[in-house]
């Protein structure tokens, strides 16, 4: 399963990827808006939005990508590792 994480803390990027790997997911993490952000999202199976730490513009781009590729979006208020674990337990349980 491919996962895109939008938002979160820069210092946690590696930890987010490790958690996803433990759940059998390949992850891309975007904590900051980059010029070609919309192109880099691709067509993942799941987009996780850390709503407390994401800009409105990034969230909008992620939602547009989700609509374009019919991707599931999981909203998570907290950007903690335990919150990510809970989201992945819910959505990646088949892997």
């Amino acid at each position: 399963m491919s996962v895109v994480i939008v938002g979160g803390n820069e210092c946690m990027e590696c930890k987010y990827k490790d958690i996803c790997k433990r759940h059998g997911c390949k992850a891309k993490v975007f904590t900051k808006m980059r010029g070609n952000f919309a192109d880099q999202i691709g067509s993942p199976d799941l987009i996780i939005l850390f709503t407390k730490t994401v800009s409105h513009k990034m969230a909008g781009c992620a939602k547009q990508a989700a609509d374009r590729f019919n991707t599931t979006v999981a909203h998570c208020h907290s950007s903690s590792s335990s919150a990510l674990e809970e989201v992945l337990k819910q959505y990646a349980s088949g892997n």
Side-chain angles (χ1 to χ4, degrees):
M1 174 180 230
S2 61
V3 175
V4 171
I5 297 172
V6 182
N9 299 310
E10 272 185 273
C11 60
M12 295 279 289
E13 283 187 46
C14 291
K15 189 158 186 152
Y16 294 150
K17 288 180 182 180
D18 290 341
I19 292 168
C20 289
K21 188 182 274 189
R22 282 199 311 255
H23 285 272
C25 300
K26 184 178 177 186
K28 290 182 186 178
V29 180
F30 299 100
T31 57
K32 289 186 175 179
M33 183 77 164
R34 295 180 179 92
N36 56 350
F37 171 67
D39 297 330
Q40 290 181 342
I41 293 176
S43 57
D45 299 311
L46 175 66
I47 295 176
I48 300 172
L49 281 177
F50 288 139
T51 57
K52 190 173 182 180
T53 55
V54 69
S55 70
H56 291 286
K57 189 172 182 180
M58 281 183 77
C61 286
K63 288 176 185 176
Q64 286 178 351
D67 290 342
R68 193 175 24 208
F69 297 110
N70 198 24
T71 301
T72 303
V73 178
H75 298 270
C76 185
H77 185 68
S78 173
S79 56
S80 67
S81 57
S82 60
L84 177 60
E85 289 270 1
E86 289 301 314
V87 171
L88 290 174
K89 283 178 189 174
Q90 182 180 357
Y91 288 97
S93 60
N95 291 337

